[in-house]
Amino acid sequence: MKSEAELTWKDMEIGCIVTEPGSSKYYRTGDWRSQRTTYDFSRCIKCGVCAMYCPEGCISPNEQGNYEADPYWCKGCGICRRECPTGTIAMVDMEE
Amino acid sequence: MGKKVGMEVSLAIAEAAKMADTDVVAAYPITPQTHIVERLAELVANGELDAEYIPVESEHSAMSACLGSVATGARTFTATAGQGLELMHEVLYVAASMRLPVIMVVANRALSSPLNVWGDQSDLMAVRDTGWIQLICENGQEAYDTTLYAFRIGEDKRVLLPVMVHVDGFYLTHVIEPIEIPEQEKVNKFLPPFKYPLPLDPDKPVSMGAFAPPILYSETKKAQEVNLRASLPVIREVWDEFEKVFGRKYKAVESYRTEGAKTLLLTLGSFGETAMAAVDKLRDEGQAVGLLKLRLWRPFPFEDLRKAVGDAELLIVIDRALSYGGPGGPAFSEIRSALYSEKKRPRILGFVGGLGGRDLMVAEFEGMVKRAQEMRPKGAEEEFEMYGVRE
């Protein structure tokens, strides 16, 4: 598949229709982030509340079963930090 | 040969949409378009047309519903006028950019304020750059024919663009004219069923109307521009096919008594009928005056226009809309621009008249020819004026 920068006007589908389902997963919305998540997994009770509230749907359990956001898509909105009942999640500025 | 019947032009337009076997109509009534959609609602209600009639709460919703309808692959028709066309303005761009061939008749009407429901082409000119194919009708037969062949043009796989059919409000919509309604079999032969290549289908999902960041937007716009320009040969092909089936020939620019004409009038829409009578009168008096009628507004038929203008020395463009503070009437400035690069071009003068339902009679067209001859030797400061305004 051509990257965005390689596509010419002749590559455009009729009316720019997207024919590949789920292609939005290639879009790195993580670039938008000004804050990122950090975790103190000793407090995580693996309840998954953060994943339910995540507007990007980018939180899933890691190998240990602790819930973690994927930085490829995480926009750093901090909703998971606010909703986490045990205070596992903290937000830090990207430059730190 | 079809039957020639006396029919209100609005009803003939509804008949064309019916005979095209429209699947969906989504429309909001507004003067002077009302009779078209009332008639369609009636045809659906009494079972003469097997279609879904969506009574929406505004024109913005009407056009939005039409987009959804075409996206599923349904043949879709709507109609509006004046303020209604303005209310659907933002959705018009979406129809063209998404390549959804909605077919829409616009009963051209003045724009507020002051409130005025009568014939005027201000609404037409305000939607010039929406990316639609735009055709302008001169009489009732043309209104029927154009509505019918608009489906064939818009739905062609090489085109897939929405088409606006402009008819002057009241001057056309509310008059009864003898109109030849063809046999249904001929219409069926001319107009194949609509097949959208990438419709909304749960078994083969697609995303429509997605977003394009700066790195892609220009490419999408170039694709759209190339596509609209490339519709011109297809439009010509459809006119040829229409002539073969129905016997009436249409062209992008019609010429009337232009042989050896030194002076040419140029009109859009129903003005052409009155202007023909004026040209006849002036020819009888020995004046070498002819008439050009512009039928295709977008894509603009540059070559046809240059050819039709020929060796004329004076070209008088008559607009039924103003471009406030701009370079004269909208059609006038476009036509001047289209001829600018020609080595030999006529002196081009413009009049704006007939606004908000003001009648321009034969005498007024004669008057414009006379007035243009007075203006002709003067410089750039006198290239256009509003005609028939009380001082």
Side-chain angles (χ1 to χ4, degrees), chain B residues 108-124:
Chain B
N108 300 123
R109 159 184 160 168
L111 296 176
S112 297
S113 92
L115 178 64
N116 177 299
V117 300
W118 289 274
D120 186 307
Q121 291 173 343
S122 300
D123 56 354
L124 187 168

Side-chain angles (χ1 to χ4, degrees), chain A residues 1 6 8-9 16-17 23 31 38 48-52 57 76 83 88:
Chain A
M1 201 176 104
E6 289 165 338
T8 74
W9 68 269
C16 303
I17 289 173
S23 61
D31 284 354
T38 61
V49 163
C50 54
M52 275 191 274
E83 299 300 333
T88 299

Side-chain angles (χ1 to χ4, degrees), chain A residues 4 9 12 14-18, chain B residues 97 99 206-207 219-220 222:
Chain A
E4 283 176 348
W9 68 269
M12 296 296 137
I14 296 164
C16 303
I17 289 173
V18 182
Chain B
S97 310
R99 306 270 306 268
V206 293
S207 293
E219 279 67 28
T220 71
K222 165 111 183 187

Side-chain angles (χ1 to χ4, degrees), chain B residues 11 29 33-43 53:
Chain B
L11 303 189
Q33 151 266 37
T34 329
H35 293 183
I36 303 169
V37 295
E38 275 176 4
R39 178 69 183 143
L40 279 165
E42 200 172 73
L43 290 168
Y53 188 100

